[in-house]
Amino acid sequence: STLPAVAEELLREIKKAFQESSHVPDDLLLGLKFIFGPSAVPALDLVDQRCVTRVTAPSGRTLYQVLGSSGKLYTCYSSCHFCTCPAFGFSVLQKSESLLCKHILAVYLSQAMGACQELSVSEEQLTNILLAEEEDEG
């Protein structure tokens, strides 16, 4: 994985706490804000609003789509720690100001909390989602 060990451990702790009590204790929320900074609260909002959808094809290929606060759908790849939003490109890749954007953090949090919507698509539909993202960028 590409996240620092402390971030990985925090996400594991959140998952464990959520499985035991169906909520995230304040100390872990503070840790989230400390490690992920300004992405933490908006990411939690996206999880609360169930904006994260796991898209799976029969081959097992998986991606995540996150409905951003602006109403735009962003595609996230948790396997390689990438999001198609402008904030990821600017704050994470260009400036190295953040570990990740709120969308990919929302993906990790919704995985930990079991809060992903599920969508099964055909291989062709998955390919179309990926191609549509390339057209948006180009």
Side-chain angles (χ1 to χ4, degrees):
S1 176
T2 54
L3 284 178
V6 66
E8 293 280 348
E9 181 59 28
L10 178 63
L11 290 168
R12 273 194 294 278
E13 289 292 319
I14 288 172
K15 181 175 185 167
K16 183 175 173 233
F18 198 81
Q19 285 173 337
E20 290 170 2
S21 66
S22 295
H23 86 282
V24 180
D26 289 348
D27 62 326
L28 295 181
L29 290 174
L30 285 171
L32 202 62
K33 192 149 176 40
F34 180 77
I35 291 172
F36 295 108
S39 301
V41 172
L44 285 165
D45 285 342
L46 291 171
V47 174
D48 283 345
Q49 295 168 26
R50 301 195 58 85
C51 293
V52 179
T53 302
R54 187 170 97 144
V55 182
T56 310
S59 64
R61 289 191 307 164
T62 299
L63 58 84
Y64 292 83
Q65 289 193 312
V66 180
L67 185 59
S69 48
S70 66
K72 183 163 175 19
L73 204 56
Y74 297 105
T75 302
C76 298
Y77 308 92
S78 62
S79 59
C80 62
H81 179 72
F82 182 81
C83 179
T84 58
C85 77
F88 186 86
F90 187 72
S91 298
V92 179
L93 298 179
Q94 284 182 335
K95 296 265 191 200
S96 298
E97 291 173 343
S98 307
L99 284 173
L100 34 74
C101 65
K102 66 182 179 183
H103 308 109
I104 196 108
L105 180 55
V107 167
Y108 293 137
L109 290 170
S110 63
Q111 287 172 330
M113 298 180 200
C116 286
Q117 310 276 20
E118 296 287 338
L119 178 64
S120 295
V121 297
S122 68
E123 296 297 331
E124 186 179 348
Q125 288 170 310
L126 189 72
T127 300
N128 289 339
I129 290 169
L130 297 172
L131 291 176
E133 285 299 334
E134 280 187 10
E135 286 170 14
D136 285 352
E137 291 166 16

